[in-house]
Amino acid sequence: MRGFTNLAKEIRDTVRTKAKEISVFRETGNGAIRILGYPLCAEADEWLGGLSDFSGPAPDIVDYEFVFPVSPGGSRVINVVENGHKATVDCYGYSALKIADCSLAQDLSIGLVSGLDFLRANRTEEYGYAAHRGALCVVVKKVKCGTVNGEPSVEYDDYCGVYVCVSGAKSDEDYACALEAIQTIKDFFLEAGGMWAFEYEEPEEGLE
């Protein structure tokens, strides 16, 4: 299978194509695309980079990340106006906060996207979470077919999580761009051969 860097570039290019439909991205080219690979087994970690340790009683798991500007040569910093005052937002950092919010929803078995409507103490930017749309996760699973007591059986082994976040436009516009990555991720693994399954949040009507 081709490396994680290949997948990251394909996701980047897919998101950039969609971002051209968003006026603020088209006009400025500024914002961030963050792509994070999270291994769920030793095999996936070797594919991602081999820095984790799954040998002990408590796995020491590494996040593998790439962050790109929304457009080639663009800045990851955007200009905003709040209460009549101009300010700058670093989408490099903010995209990480949205992925943290997505991961929190995942840990609570609520969903696989950021910005969902649920209450949680300290779910604020001060504590490392941005509860806004724009980040999602695709959980990749290896499918194994066999037999149990002579009957066909199918097992789904967790392989890795691929998180994608777009930051720099309105939340729903960021999310619409990130959604484009789902099919790219699925195609990448299916083209590599073997049998794969994918868990992700179905997009809401009107956002695709």
Side-chain angles (χ1 to χ4, degrees), residues 47-185:
W47 174 68
L48 285 162
L51 296 176
S52 301
D53 183 0
F54 281 83
S55 63
D60 184 12
I61 301 177
V62 174
D63 291 337
Y64 299 88
E65 290 187 304
F66 296 97
V67 183
F68 303 96
V70 166
S71 295
S75 173
R76 296 178 309 205
V77 177
I78 62 171
N79 298 309
V80 299
V81 177
E82 294 181 347
N83 300 321
H85 299 284
K86 293 182 179 179
T88 59
V89 176
D90 192 330
C91 294
Y92 173 83
Y94 207 71
S95 60
L97 301 189
K98 289 203 281 190
I99 285 183
D101 192 68
C102 174
S103 181
L104 175 62
Q106 182 181 18
D107 290 342
L108 296 174
S109 299
I110 292 172
L112 292 169
V113 297
S114 64
L116 294 174
D117 185 13
F118 65 93
L119 296 177
R120 176 76 169 184
N122 302 328
R123 188 186 169 211
T124 65
E125 293 160 20
E126 180 182 0
Y127 290 91
Y129 302 100
H132 299 285
R133 291 296 183 98
L136 58 82
C137 178
V138 176
V139 180
V140 182
K141 301 172 181 284
K142 264 197 164 182
V143 182
K144 295 181 180 179
C145 298
T147 58
V148 176
N149 298 324
E151 296 293 329
S153 68
V154 179
E155 294 182 358
Y156 298 89
D157 293 338
D158 289 342
Y159 186 77
C160 71
V162 180
Y163 296 80
V164 179
C165 180
V166 180
S167 181
K170 295 178 180 178
S171 293
D172 282 348
E173 293 172 332
D174 289 340
Y175 180 49
C177 291
L179 281 173
E180 296 296 304
I182 294 175
Q183 191 61 49
T184 298
I185 294 166

